């Protein structure tokens, strides 16, 4: 009966769901057949299955059974009489080591690496940490915008798990140094105590590892591992939003660590209370320690960061050049690094000295974008003018070629030159659907490739808009 029920559910459910939640269930019928017990490997699966699938399971069983429906029970455990076989190793560590050479030369941050539980075999005392060794206090430039956060991080590195500093939560927009500072604490903890077990991971990694631990029935090892650390660094906790079982598991880990005086450091892209889909109890817990905002750096800090990064890359960056870049690239440190990287590439390629002219050349498009805040309005105006139609034609429902094509071009330009989402762009073009915008972008790309005239129009418009 259960086998037939499984086959049926396998047909009905997306295979990922089936494999994750239904396949691990084991079944045992009572001797009189009046009761059917489903065993799940752990509480999370029990809760999840009860919520999402139990009713359907009952219905399917009902349809396949002629007599009285057995009473369905769901609990943690195993129907096997023999102990559960040794679990397969949880997901292997994808442990490429941090690229040396400093963050400037590292295109992607190692945010998603983790030490996998089985890295700890045999109680070895030497811990291979997965921290980026380039992210230290020494390489972190302090300024008004991050001074408080840096001070708090220093404090935690010197006195981990002290009252009032646990958890340490750093929050703020992208590219402002949250991950850097978090690693700096970890690196300092290890420098002071080489045996300290410091584990860094991105919250998405935590979620993925937890799910595979559930699937592989290694959730207990998973728990034990995360509870055995001296410091747990979890990056970008906003990704926990909406993932209830992960939040549940994290909540327990969190409590266990706090009770045992182990340090927790978290980052988030906004103040956690403002993250939708995060449980209230987690939000309030996150606030138990110290929360520090990180702001975009002001001009002087941007200059100092550029000078420091140039020095690390052994490139001479004159002050006026640093100011020139810092005045134009204002959003965050990651963009600043990107700009400097381009300038350096340009220097290496041309063999020239860094001066304003070279920077202008190397950062042409970036500077144009920043200098002139390109808005959808602006694009519509320029496009309408170029094709000699009215702006209203771009917003109207009319579908004649003479207005439909310019409209598509304007949408594609909006996608390319502004940071508006597809729905926002659609909204600005007379309330069109985001799929219409997507279609326009694809169409324009296709036309530009097949039709040199359209490519020329597009380039002309790009130039007008960004010069
Ligand atoms: P976030 O995690 O806030 O998105 P990151 O910590 O990844 O930002 O920082 C982005 C890049 O900018 C990293 O390469 C980091 O080293 C660098 N960075 C950020 N802030 C600073 C700073 N104050 N001093 C030096 N480098 C910084
Ligand atoms: Mg980060």
């Amino acid at each position: 009966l259960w086998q037939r029920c499984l086959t049926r559910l396998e047909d009905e459910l997306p295979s990922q769901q089936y494999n994750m939640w239904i396949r691990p269930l084991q079944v045992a019928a009572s001797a009189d057949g009046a009761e059917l017990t489903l065993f799940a490997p752990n509480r999370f699966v029990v809760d999840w299955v009860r919520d999402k699938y139990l009713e359907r399971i009952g219905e399917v069983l009902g349809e396949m059974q002629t007599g009285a429906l057995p009473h369905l029970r769901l609990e943690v455990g195993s129907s096997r009489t023999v102990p559960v076989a040794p679990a397969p190793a949880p997901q292997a560590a994808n442990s490429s080591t941090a690229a040396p050479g400093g963050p400037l030369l590292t295109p992607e941050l190692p945010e998603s690496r983790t030490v996998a539980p089985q890295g700890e075999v045999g109680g070895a005392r030497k811990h291979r940490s997965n921290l980026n060794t380039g992210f230290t206090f020494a390489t972190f430039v302090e300024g008004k915008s991050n001074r408080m956060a840096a001070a708090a991080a220093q404090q935690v590195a010197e006195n981990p798990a002290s009252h009032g500093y646990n958890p340490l939560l750093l929050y703020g927009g992208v590219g402002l140094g949250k991950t850097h500072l978090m690693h700096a604490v970890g690196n300092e903890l290890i420098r002071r105590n080489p045996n300290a077990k410091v584990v860094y991971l991105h919250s998405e990694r935590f979620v993925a590892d937890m799910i595979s631990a559930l699937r592989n029935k290694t959730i207990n090892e998973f728990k034990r591992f995360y509870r055995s650390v001296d410091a747990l660094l979890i990056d970008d906790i906003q990704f926990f939003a909406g993932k209830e079982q992960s939040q549940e598991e994290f909540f327990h880990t969190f409590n266990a660590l706090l009770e045992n005086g182990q340090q927790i450091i978290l980052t988030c892209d906004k103040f956690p209370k403002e993250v939708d889909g995060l449980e209230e109890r987690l939000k309030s817990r996150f606030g138990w320690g110290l929360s520090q905002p990180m702001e975009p750096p002001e001009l002087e800090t941007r200059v100092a960061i550029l000078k420091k990064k140039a020095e690390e890359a052994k490139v001479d960056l004159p002050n006026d050049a640093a100011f020139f870049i810092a005045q134009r690239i204002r959003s965050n440190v990651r963009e600043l690094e990107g700009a400097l990287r381009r300038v350096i590439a340009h220097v290496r390629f041309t063999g020239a000295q860094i001066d304003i002219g070279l920077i202008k050349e190397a950062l042409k498009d970036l500077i144009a974008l920043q200098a002139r805040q390109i808005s959808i309005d602006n694009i519509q105006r320029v496009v309408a003018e170029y094709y000699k139609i009215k702006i209203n034609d771009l917003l109207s429902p009319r579908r004649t070629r003479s207005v439909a094509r310019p409209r598509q071009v304007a949408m594609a330009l909006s996608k390319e030159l502004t940071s508006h989402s597809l729905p926002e762009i659609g909204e600005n073009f007379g309330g069109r659907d985001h799929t219409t915008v997507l279609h326009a972008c694809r169409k324009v790309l296709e036309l530009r490739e097949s039709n040199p005239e359209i490519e020329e129009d597009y380039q002309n418009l790009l130039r007008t808009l960004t010069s």
Side-chain angles (χ1 to χ4, degrees):
L1 176 67
W2 179 242
Q3 263 317 317
R4 276 187 292 141
C5 175
L6 279 182
T7 315
R8 176 74 170 280
L9 291 168
E10 191 171 7
D11 280 342
E12 277 182 21
L13 294 171
S15 61
Q16 199 207 353
Q17 282 182 32
Y18 175 80
N19 288 330
M20 192 173 312
W21 304 110
I22 307 297
R23 195 192 287 286
L25 300 177
Q26 296 171 6
V27 69
S30 61
D32 59 1
E35 207 174 79
L36 204 60
T37 307
L38 302 179
F39 291 99
N42 58 57
R43 271 228 69 77
F44 302 110
V45 178
V46 166
D47 290 345
W48 194 263
V49 170
R50 176 173 299 124
D51 258 28
K52 313 267 169 193
Y53 305 114
L54 198 59
E55 199 184 344
R56 184 64 197 145
I57 291 173
E59 287 170 2
V60 172
L61 284 172
E63 285 168 23
M64 297 190 167
Q65 168 105 342
T66 43
L69 199 63
H71 181 67
L72 255 188
R73 288 158 42 96
L74 181 61
E75 60 185 59
V76 180
S78 162
S79 64
R80 299 183 209 167
T81 46
V82 286
V84 180
Q91 179 153 355
N94 45 0
S95 57
S96 51
T97 39
L104 189 64
L105 304 172
T106 316
E108 271 305 315
L109 294 170
E111 293 190 330
S112 58
R113 282 186 281 105
T114 177
V115 175
Q118 81 273 25
E120 286 305 306
V121 215
R125 294 295 296 156
K126 184 129 177 57
H127 303 298
R128 197 165 39 96
S129 135
N130 59 342
L131 295 167
N132 181 334
T133 51
F135 286 171
T136 60
F137 286 115
T139 58
F140 189 83
V141 177
E142 282 186 36
K144 216 166 105 213
S145 57
N146 60 32
R147 185 159 288 133
M148 293 294 287
Q154 275 283 358
Q155 192 54 239
V156 167
E158 283 163 25
N159 303 297
S162 53
H163 186 67
Y165 287 80
N166 203 10
L168 172 66
L169 171 80
L170 305 169
Y171 67 93
V174 294
L176 299 183
K178 303 183 298 294
T179 299
H180 185 134
L181 214 43
M182 172 183 243
H183 281 259
V185 178
N187 282 317
E188 181 64 16
L189 287 172
I190 289 178
R191 198 185 66 78
R192 287 167 179 255
N193 172 10
N195 282 330
K197 181 167 165 184
V198 177
V199 171
Y200 164 85
L201 79 166
H202 194 270
S203 67
E204 284 185 304
R205 185 82 250 163
F206 186 91
V207 172
D209 285 358
M210 188 198 76
I211 289 173
S212 67
L214 287 175
R215 190 178 327 169
N216 297 329
K217 309 200 174 66
T218 53
I219 190 74
N220 287 330
E221 283 86 336
F222 175 89
K223 285 179 207 250
R224 222 175 300 133
F225 176 75
Y226 286 110
R227 286 167 201 194
S228 72
V229 303
D230 295 305
L232 182 60
L233 282 46
I234 301 206
D235 212 352
D236 289 325
I237 54 164
Q238 70 270 13
F239 286 108
F240 279 134
K243 303 191 175 103
E244 287 159 35
Q245 14 48 298
S246 306
Q247 291 185 35
E248 168 95 20
E249 181 53 42
F250 184 59
F251 181 75
H252 294 308
T253 302
F254 187 96
N255 290 340
L257 291 178
L258 277 194
E259 271 163 35
N260 283 323
Q262 295 147 291
Q263 180 70 44
I264 300 169
I265 308 177
L266 309 168
T267 73
C268 190
D269 71 347
K270 47 172 103 60
F271 192 52
K273 289 235 184 297
E274 288 161 16
V275 178
D276 291 334
L278 213 52
E279 282 181 35
E280 286 305 323
R281 57 179 187 169
L282 267 184
K283 290 185 186 179
S284 95
R285 274 296 127 137
F286 291 161
W288 280 7
L290 183 63
S291 303
Q292 280 298 337
M294 297 188 76
E295 311 276 352
E298 352 65 71
L299 180 65
E300 286 72 20
T301 313
R302 297 202 296 279
V303 170
I305 290 173
L306 284 169
K307 298 278 286 182
K308 173 116 187 169
K309 305 266 170 187
E311 192 188 305
E312 283 169 8
K314 300 198 176 23
V315 167
D316 183 40
L317 181 71
N319 278 340
D320 62 337
F323 266 97
F324 186 85
I325 301 173
Q327 279 161 337
R328 282 157 186 82
I329 310 292
R330 293 186 286 258
S331 47
N332 67 52
V333 183
R334 188 169 299 154
E335 304 261 303
L336 214 52
E337 282 189 335
L340 182 61
R341 206 178 290 129
R342 272 164 69 164
V343 169
I344 291 174
H346 219 78
V347 169
R348 301 229 157 106
F349 187 70
T350 60
Q353 294 281 322
I354 297 189
D355 59 18
I356 307 286
L358 179 139
I359 293 172
K360 275 188 179 157
E361 179 59 25
L363 304 181
K364 244 187 336 222
D365 48 341
L366 277 184
I367 292 175
L369 271 181
Q370 292 265 338
R372 188 155 165 186
Q373 289 289 338
I374 299 180
S375 64
I376 296 181
D377 280 355
N378 201 342
I379 292 171
Q380 289 172 339
R381 198 172 41 71
V382 171
V383 169
E385 206 167 291
Y386 187 86
Y387 289 103
K388 304 198 171 28
I389 57 175
K390 295 203 232 30
I391 292 183
N392 268 343
D393 288 335
L394 294 174
L395 315 183
S396 78
R398 287 181 57 202
R399 304 178 87 178
T400 40
R401 172 74 70 88
S402 62
V403 298
R405 190 67 82 229
R407 188 187 293 131
Q408 288 179 325
V409 168
M411 286 180 182
L413 285 165
S414 301
K415 182 75 189 90
E416 179 165 347
L417 296 177
T418 75
S419 50
H420 288 290
S421 64
L422 295 174
E424 283 166 354
I425 295 172
E427 193 50 45
N428 278 284
F429 279 83
R432 287 179 156 78
D433 195 76
H434 76 276
T435 53
T436 309
V437 183
L438 188 62
H439 173 75
C441 295
R442 292 194 177 137
K443 185 75 197 170
V444 169
L445 197 62
E446 193 185 301
L447 287 169
R448 286 173 55 194
E449 278 164 7
S450 62
N451 185 335
E453 263 172 56
I454 292 190
E455 173 64 11
E456 203 193 45
D457 288 346
Y458 195 86
Q459 290 301 338
N460 286 340
L461 285 163
L462 262 184
R463 213 168 306 127
T464 312
L465 284 160
T466 58
S467 60

